[in-house]
Amino acid sequence: MARIYSLRGEQNFNAVFRRGRRLETPLFRVQYSFNQLGHSRFAFVTPRTTSKLAVERNQLRRRAREWVRTNLPQTLPACDAVIVLKKDAVKTSKKTFYEELRRAFGKIYS
């Protein structure tokens, strides 16, 4: 994923959590707010409570990053999104994980 699509900086995170909306699913929570940049930015958070193993936490972030990179076209409304992964995401298959992401972002962009 290109650097311009990464949400960085404490001010940007605080703005998303302060002004944004929340969408809960069994596998993750998405905090999002629309922006005026012309492109979306994403951050992926995997708390240690999700898994004690860094390997598993990193794998979840890579899965989410890859899905965003391949499935979100540039033509959608621009938003800043923080995806916080939950414990149940560790146990699910890739197919289920990707389907849940697709459904969540379908709700956001509808």
Side-chain angles (χ1 to χ4, degrees):
M1 194 166 71
R3 191 175 190 126
I4 64 167
Y5 301 114
S6 295
L7 182 65
R8 297 175 185 268
E10 187 177 347
Q11 287 180 333
N12 293 326
F13 273 84
N14 288 341
V16 171
F17 284 110
R18 201 174 334 107
R19 290 180 297 178
R21 298 178 186 171
R22 175 186 285 189
L23 177 69
E24 289 276 342
T25 73
L27 302 180
F28 49 84
R29 180 177 71 232
V30 180
Q31 287 279 145
Y32 66 95
S33 66
F34 294 99
N35 67 38
Q36 302 298 321
L37 297 175
H39 63 275
S40 295
R41 299 184 298 178
F42 300 92
F44 306 94
V45 179
T46 311
R48 196 169 282 159
T49 56
T50 302
S51 173
K52 290 183 180 181
L53 300 174
V55 172
E56 289 179 347
R57 295 192 307 269
N58 292 338
Q59 183 182 34
L60 287 175
R61 280 192 294 268
R62 282 193 301 270
R63 272 187 191 177
R65 215 177 296 126
E66 179 64 16
W67 185 87
V68 166
R69 185 185 70 79
T70 57
N71 291 305
L72 286 181
Q74 305 294 331
T75 58
L76 293 175
C79 78
D80 292 337
V82 178
I83 301 169
V84 181
L85 297 149
K86 295 181 179 179
K87 271 186 184 182
D88 292 340
V90 174
K91 302 173 204 159
T92 61
S93 66
K94 265 188 187 181
K95 184 178 179 181
T96 306
F97 185 82
Y98 290 157
E99 181 64 28
E100 195 69 31
L101 274 171
R102 187 189 63 74
R103 252 184 288 175
F105 279 96
K107 288 179 185 177
I108 290 171
Y109 288 123
S110 62

